[in-house]
Every structure is written in C-alpha cells, then in structure tokens.
C-alpha cells in the first residue's frame, strides 16, 4: 500500500505551481497524494492530515511566513495526538532559516531550487517507501 502524503498551501499564498509539481513527482514515485488547494488555515491542514491518515504533511510556503506556519503545523499535529506525522517544508526559504525550521520540528526542508529527486528520496526515508 503506498504511503499517503498531504501537500498543503498554508496562509495567504496563492501560488501553487511548485506544490503541484511536487505532488506530481510524488505521485509518479508511487505515493498517494492529497493536495489541499491554496490558502488553507493550519487547523484545516491538521484536520485533513488526520482524516486522510497521512504519514507526511508537505508545506509549500512562498510568503515568507515559513517559520510561523511550520511551527504552528507541528504544534497542531502534536496537540491532536499526531506528532508522528512528519512535517516537511519547501519554498522560498533563506538558507539561514533551514536549521531554525528543523528546530521547530520540520523533518526536512527544501529551499527554492531543491531537486525533485532529493525530495522524493527524503520522502522515501520518512515513509519507508523508497
């Protein structure tokens, strides 16, 4: 059975091209992917992750609010008793924020320009499907 992942666009960011490219790459690699659409609240993302029984939540963030949105997602999952769901974040992320995101609970961080092969390989490690 393929691992289930949720690709989410939190906050007010309305650009979803990158998230759709990631979703397609993960589907092509054999994952079952649920895409939330744009402008989702953290509470909606947490609820979807629980309802869909996903192994990973992938956040696509271009707005600059990556630290806050990632922290709130990790905290929301933990508060819901789902701290075992890995949170991965990608998008417009300055190199100096990568470690801060990991300290906030991100399992992996993919700044702009990260290759799809590396992303798929990391999802494989996180889900045991690789």
């Amino acid at each position: 059975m393929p691992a289930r992942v949720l690709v989410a666009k939190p906050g007010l960011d309305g650009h979803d091209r990158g998230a759709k490219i990631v979703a397609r790459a993960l589907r092509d690699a054999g994952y079952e992917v649920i895409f939330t659409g744009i402008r989702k609240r953290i509470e909606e993302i947490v609820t979807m992750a629980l309802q869909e029984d996903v192994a990973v939540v992938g956040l696509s963030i271009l707005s600059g609010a990556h630290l806050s949105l990632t922290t709130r997602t990790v905290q929301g999952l933990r508060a819901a008793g789902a701290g075992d769901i890995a949170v991965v974040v990608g998008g417009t992320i300055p190199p100096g924020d990568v470690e801060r995101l990991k300290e906030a609970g991100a399992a992996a961080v993919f700044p702009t320009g990260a290759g799809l092969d590396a992303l798929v390989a990391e999802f494989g490690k996180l889900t045991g499907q690789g």
Side-chain angles (χ1 to χ4, degrees), residues 88-90 93 97-99 101-102 106-111 114:
V88 173
V89 61
I93 299 167
D97 285 347
V98 171
E99 282 308 311
L101 286 164
K102 289 182 179 179
V109 180
F110 297 95

Side-chain angles (χ1 to χ4, degrees), residues 2-114:
R4 295 170 61 93
V5 300
L6 182 73
V7 175
K9 290 291 300 178
L12 299 177
D13 178 10
H15 300 281
D16 63 356
R17 178 184 282 171
K20 287 180 177 177
I21 290 170
V22 167
R24 178 169 287 134
L26 290 169
R27 277 191 190 114
D28 289 350
Y31 294 90
E32 185 175 343
V33 179
I34 299 98
F35 179 62
T36 66
I38 60 174
R39 298 186 181 103
K40 295 301 177 189
R41 294 185 344 263
I42 298 302
E43 297 78 14
E44 291 175 303
I45 294 168
V46 169
T47 298
M48 287 177 164
L50 295 170
Q51 288 175 345
E52 297 292 344
D53 193 28
V54 300
V56 180
V57 171
L59 301 176
S60 173
I61 305 171
L62 304 177
S63 66
H66 47 275
L67 290 169
S68 170
L69 292 170
T70 301
T71 300
R72 289 176 46 216
T73 302
V74 170
Q75 290 173 345
L77 289 167
R78 288 178 181 163
D84 60 327
I85 297 175
V87 175
V88 173
V89 61
T92 307
I93 299 167
D97 285 347
V98 171
E99 282 308 311
R100 292 175 67 192
L101 286 164
K102 289 182 179 179
E103 289 168 6
V109 180
F110 297 95
T112 301

